[in-house]
Amino acid sequence: MDFKGLDILNGYQFTNQQLNHIMNTAAQYEKRVKAGEVIRDLEGMVVATLFFEPSTRTRLSFEGAINRTGAKCISMADAKSSSSAKGETTADTIRTVDGYVDVIVMRHPEKGSAQQAADAAVHPVINGGDGAGQHPTQALLDIYTMRKEKGHIGGQTITFLGDLKYGRTVHSLGYFMQQLGNKMIFASPDSLKMPEEITKDLRARGADIVETTDVKAALSQSDFVYVTRVQRERFDDLADYEKCKGSYVVNMELLKSAKKDITILHPLPRVDEIALEVDDYAGAAYFRQAHNGMYLRMALLGLVTGRA
Ligand code: NCD
C-alpha cells in the first residue's frame, strides 16, 4: 500500500484498508520500541514541526517519533519566534521550510491552513490541528487506542461529550467512527453542538447518530465516552465561554449510570471535565491514549516517507 508523499489533512481521506494498514504499522512500531530496538528507518531525513498554536502532546509525541525513527527534527514551537510575527503568509513560510526538510508537521489556528500548506509544499504535510477544523493524527491515535483497549473496533457505540462545535478532534474522529461502523451519540450543551455541516455530511455517508443533552442515558448505552475540553481560545466572546464552562463533568457518580466496562477517552489537556478521582478507574484510558500517540506518529512518518 503506497502512502509515500501523501499529505495527512483530515478524517475523511482514508479507505478502511488504509486505516487498517496505519493501525498495523503503529502496532509494529510499538512492539519494536518496547523491545528496545534502536530504529533507523528514517535515517538521513529531517522533519519540521511548525506549531503556530500551543501544544504539548502533539508536538512532543511527533518529536519523540522523529527521534525514535532515526530522523532529525527542526522545530518552531512558538509563532512569536518566526517570521509570521512579521506578517509572513503561511504559504511563504511553508515554501521556505519545504526546502529544508522531508516532511512538515504543522499546527495553525486557521481552519483550512493545512490544505494551504499542502498546496504550497512539495513534501508531505501532516496536519497537527487547523483551528476548529480537523485533527486527523489525534483521531488516528484515538482509533488505535480504541482497538487496543477493546481488542477490536466496529459495531460499538461512542458518546462524544463536550465541546463538539470547536473541538477539532471529534470533527475528524466522527468520520472514522462512521467508516468503521460505530454508532455515535453527540452529547453537548446546545451552544456547543457538532456543526450542522458535519452532522449532515456524516449522515449522508450513512452514520448512525443520536443527538442528546441526556448524558446519563448516553453513557448507559456506550462502550466509549470521548470527552473534550471547552475550547476557550475559539470563543469570540469570553462571556459565552463562561456560560458553558463546567457544564459537564465526568466523575464517579456519573459513571454509576454508565455501561459496565466503559472506556473513557480524552485527547487532553483536561481542565475540569474529568474529575481526578476517575484517573484510577480501570477504563480511564486517556494517558494510555496520549502514549499511543507516539507510535501512531512513528507509523505516519514511516508511511509518508516510504520508509516504513
Ligand atoms: C487537542 C487539540 O489540540 O485539538 N489536543 C491534542 O492535540 N491532544 C484537544 C484540545 O486542545 O482540547
Side-chain angles (χ1 to χ4, degrees), residues 53-55 57-58 107 128-129 135 138 167-169 228-229 231 233-234 266-269 297:
E53 259 194 350
S55 171
R57 277 147 288 270
T58 305
R107 166 172 290 185
H135 194 350
Q138 175 69 44
R168 56 193 170 197
T169 69
T228 63
R229 170 182 72 90
Q231 309 279 299
E233 65 276 30
R234 309 265 178 245
H266 191 310
L268 303 178
R297 288 168 172 136

Side-chain angles (χ1 to χ4, degrees), residues 143-159:
I143 59 173
Y144 182 61
T145 303
M146 292 169 77
R147 198 175 81 155
K148 265 177 77 180
E149 294 287 322
K150 298 285 195 207
H152 75 286
I153 189 163
Q156 296 143 323
T157 299
I158 182 168
T159 290

Side-chain angles (χ1 to χ4, degrees), residues 25-38:
T25 308
Q28 279 165 18
Y29 275 118
E30 177 167 2
K31 224 170 156 181
R32 290 169 70 186
V33 170
K34 289 188 168 162
E37 186 185 338
V38 178

